[in-house]
Every structure is written in C-alpha cells, then in structure tokens.
Amino acid sequence: MFIIKYLKSLLYILISIIAFGLFITILNYFNIISTNTCKYFKIISIIISFIIGGLYIGKRSSTKGYLEGLKISLSAIAILILLNYLGFDKSFSFKSIIFYIIIIISSVLGSITGINRKKAK
C-alpha cells in the first residue's frame, strides 16, 4: 500500500505529460503555435504535470506534504537521469540542473497544496 500511492502519483505525472505532449504536438502540427513557443509550452506542461502528481500524493498523505512531494520529485528525477544520461548519452549541464530544481519545487508546492486541500475538507 505504501509504494502503490507513489506509483499512482508517478502514473498521474506520466499520463499528464503524455496528454499535454500530445495536445502540444497537435497544435504544432496544425501550425497554431510555432516551434519556439512549443518549447515553452513543453516546460509549462511538465511543471503542471508535477503539480498534479504532487496534489495527488499530498491528498493521500497524512502529514508533511513537502516531504512527500520531495520523494516523488526525487524518484522522478532519478528516472529522468537514468533515461537521459544512461540511455541517450547526454551530459549534465546547468540547464538540466535548473530544470530539475524547477521539477522539485513544483512537486513540493503541489503536495503542500494537496495536503492543505485535504485538511480543509
């Protein structure tokens, strides 16, 4: 039961990233948005996806939502590092570190919001 809530949160993140990616790709295909703005929408969609995953894990946790969001973001970052640097042979850069920090912050903020929404009900 303990691991299942983390896997469900990661599944919510993955599904929302795929859905946003598909939507952005369709908009780019029909020339509704340009390629340059497509880059920004991709980053925004990833941030929103991690907020959604943080909201889910925050609603399911009892205390300390920021730690739950930190756990989810660090596990997702570990998966991303394995895919990017071991699978695609990319090197570390300053941009990727900033990107990972943004992912951590968005997931923590989502989980804090999720645990506060749970307490309000």
Side-chain angles (χ1 to χ4, degrees):
M1 183 68 179
F2 179 71
I3 296 176
I4 293 174
K5 71 177 182 178
Y6 293 111
L7 290 177
K8 282 185 179 179
S9 179
L10 287 173
L11 187 66
Y12 277 118
I13 291 171
L14 180 68
I15 289 172
S16 60
I17 285 175
I18 290 171
F20 283 130
L22 182 65
F23 181 70
I24 292 168
T25 303
I26 290 170
L27 290 177
N28 190 18
Y29 180 75
F30 290 114
N31 292 327
I32 297 172
I33 60 173
S34 67
T35 307
N36 291 332
T37 56
C38 186
K39 294 177 192 177
Y40 298 117
F41 279 125
K42 285 180 184 178
I43 293 172
I44 291 170
S45 69
I46 290 173
I47 291 170
I48 292 171
S49 299
F50 274 91
I51 289 174
I52 291 170
L55 279 169
Y56 178 79
I57 198 72
K59 284 185 180 180
R60 301 296 180 257
S61 64
S62 58
T63 58
K64 298 183 182 177
Y66 63 93
L67 286 177
E68 298 296 327
L70 191 64
K71 289 177 192 176
I72 286 298
S73 62
L74 290 179
S75 61
I77 287 173
I79 293 169
L80 287 174
I81 286 174
L82 288 174
L83 286 175
N84 282 332
Y85 303 112
L86 296 177
F88 296 120
D89 198 30
K90 292 185 178 180
S91 62
F92 254 142
S93 67
F94 186 69
K95 284 169 101 175
S96 63
I97 293 172
I98 297 294
F99 180 70
Y100 294 144
I101 290 172
I102 290 171
I103 286 176
I104 291 171
I105 291 170
S106 64
S107 179
V108 168
L109 287 176
S111 63
I112 289 172
T113 306
I115 201 163
N116 287 334
R117 290 185 75 204
K118 184 180 90 170
K119 287 182 180 178
K121 291 182 178 180

